[in-house]
Amino acid sequence: MGSVVALIVVVVVVIVLAKLIRIVPQGYEWTVELFGKYTGTLTPGLHFLIPFVYAIGRKMNMMEQVLEVPSQEVITKDNAVVRVDGVVFYQILDAAKAAYEVANLEGAALALIMTNIRTVLGSMDLDESLSQRDAINAKLLGVIDEATHPWGVKVTRIEIKDISPPRDLVDAMARQMKAEREKRANILDAEGYRQAAILKAEGEKQSAILSAEGKKEAAFREAEARERLAEAEAKATTMVSNAIAGGSVNALNYFVANNYVDALKEMARSPNQKMLLLPMESAGILGSLAGIAELAKDSLTAQRAPTPPVAGGDRAPLPPR
């Protein structure tokens, strides 16, 4: 009997010590109750409580936690049914409020989040809900954080993970996107053709202008050449006329022979001319050439003739050779 009593005493002492000494781990806070009533909160560390008078109420995790939002169907503003899921990051800031202000913290937060997801997405079109995910996250964060503030909870982040439209709606969106891309491609092609046509017209216009200016310059040069040729012909005719008037027939022979030779030259230039027939009067050409030779001989004799002496005994200088 003595050993049994001793064993019972040891067990009671162990239980009393366990109730007396409380060690709270880091990242947690425990609430203390006096006969079932909340009296305080134990922070991480070593604490002593009077056994059987004070008891531990709730052990609250004060670290940031993740809450998975299950997938649910949501009807958008344009009556499109989509499946939406998400994830929520939250942290308990007040252990007493989180323990006693709400019965099931995670369940209540999850129901609140799912309800607000339906509310926010129900006020948006499908295209808006797919393209404005950041705006949806920000709106949900503001609403949920304000609603959970009385519970001593801080919602730090809400992320919509996936928004999945039905398969037929996805196919319709793909066809719409393809049609839109083809439309943009056709517009770009039309713009390219238009720009190419404009550039081609500008090039043709510039080419026509340059061609007209070239023709104008060529006509001007040709007219100038003709004018110079006419002046030369007139001068030559004048010289021949003066020579004839002075009694020199050889100048006339030279003029006629020169024109005769030019005419024969033009006849010989014909592309289909294989044989050239000379008239009987070709001997006149030789006579004209002989006249040209006589004219040249008379000119040289006149240049080499001595100059008569000048009065006063001085002799005129000889012409240079």
Side-chain angles (χ1 to χ4, degrees):
M1 289 295 294
S3 60
V4 174
V5 172
L7 181 61
I8 293 174
V9 171
V10 171
V11 171
V12 170
V13 170
V14 171
I15 294 174
V16 170
L17 291 177
K19 294 290 185 179
L20 175 65
I21 301 173
R22 297 291 183 169
I23 300 176
V24 180
Q26 184 66 39
Y28 286 83
E29 288 186 3
W30 294 355
T31 61
V32 179
E33 298 176 354
L34 176 61
F35 299 114
K37 181 180 179 181
Y38 170 75
T39 58
T41 303
L42 299 181
T43 58
L46 178 63
H47 300 274
F48 297 95
L49 294 178
I50 300 175
F52 309 108
V53 177
Y54 292 96
I56 300 299
R58 303 287 182 87
K59 298 179 179 180
M60 306 304 298
N61 186 350
M62 306 300 293
M63 296 178 288
E64 188 171 2
Q65 302 177 64
V66 180
L67 180 62
E68 292 285 343
V69 179
S71 178
Q72 62 174 333
E73 290 187 350
V74 178
I75 301 177
T76 61
K77 186 178 180 180
D78 52 353
N79 297 323
V81 180
V82 295
R83 296 194 65 85
V84 184
D85 59 0
V87 61
V88 180
F89 296 86
Y90 71 95
Q91 185 177 13
I92 297 175
L93 301 180
D94 192 330
K97 290 183 178 181
Y100 301 108
E101 293 292 337
V102 58
N104 184 359
L105 178 61
E106 290 189 359
L110 190 59
L112 183 62
I113 294 167
M114 294 178 68
T115 302
N116 280 276
I117 288 177
R118 289 194 295 269
T119 301
V120 172
L121 291 180
S123 63
M124 303 175 68
D125 295 334
L126 177 61
D127 294 338
E128 294 177 349
S129 62
L130 293 176
S131 61
Q132 299 182 9
R133 191 167 298 187
D134 291 338
I136 296 173
N137 295 335
K139 188 178 294 185
L140 287 174
L141 180 61
V143 174
I144 301 301
D145 186 47
E146 183 179 358
T148 56
H149 181 71
W151 302 343
V153 176
K154 173 66 177 177
V155 179
T156 58
R157 192 176 184 87
I158 296 179
E159 292 290 341
I160 298 297
K161 292 197 300 183
D162 191 19
I163 300 177
S164 303
R167 185 62 188 176
D168 55 347
L169 188 57
V170 173
D171 295 337
M173 292 172 62
R175 291 194 298 270
Q176 179 183 1
M177 180 182 65
K178 182 179 178 181
E180 187 68 24
R181 292 182 181 275
E182 291 178 353
K183 174 184 175 183
R184 289 201 295 266
N186 292 331
I187 292 174
L188 291 177
D189 289 341
E191 288 290 338
Y193 291 146
R194 174 175 174 270
Q195 191 67 21
I198 292 174
L199 293 177
K200 183 178 179 181
E202 289 289 338
E204 292 177 352
K205 175 183 176 183
Q206 192 68 20
S207 177
I209 292 174
L210 294 176
S211 178
E213 290 180 354
K215 290 180 179 180
K216 177 181 177 182
E217 184 67 21
F220 177 77
R221 297 293 183 185
E222 184 178 358
E224 187 178 9
R226 288 180 179 178
E227 183 180 355
R228 297 288 179 85
L229 181 61
E231 291 178 356
E233 290 288 339
K235 188 174 181 180
T237 303
T238 302
M239 293 177 65
V240 171
S241 299
N242 293 334
I244 293 173
S248 178
V249 183
N250 292 328
L252 180 60
N253 292 334
Y254 169 76
F255 187 75
V256 173
N258 189 24
N259 289 336
Y260 201 88
V261 171
D262 290 338
L264 292 178
K265 188 185 299 183
E266 290 296 329
M267 292 173 61
R269 287 179 180 176
S270 177
N272 298 323
Q273 186 72 26
K274 297 182 179 179
M275 182 173 62
L276 181 62
L277 298 178
L278 295 177
M280 294 296 296
E281 292 80 3
S282 59
I285 302 174
L286 300 177
S288 299
L289 295 176
I292 295 171
E294 291 296 330
L295 179 62
K297 183 185 297 183
D298 293 342
S299 176
L300 291 174
T301 303
Q303 290 180 0
R304 292 178 180 179
T307 305
V310 182
D314 295 333
R315 298 181 60 184
L318 295 177
R321 294 185 181 180

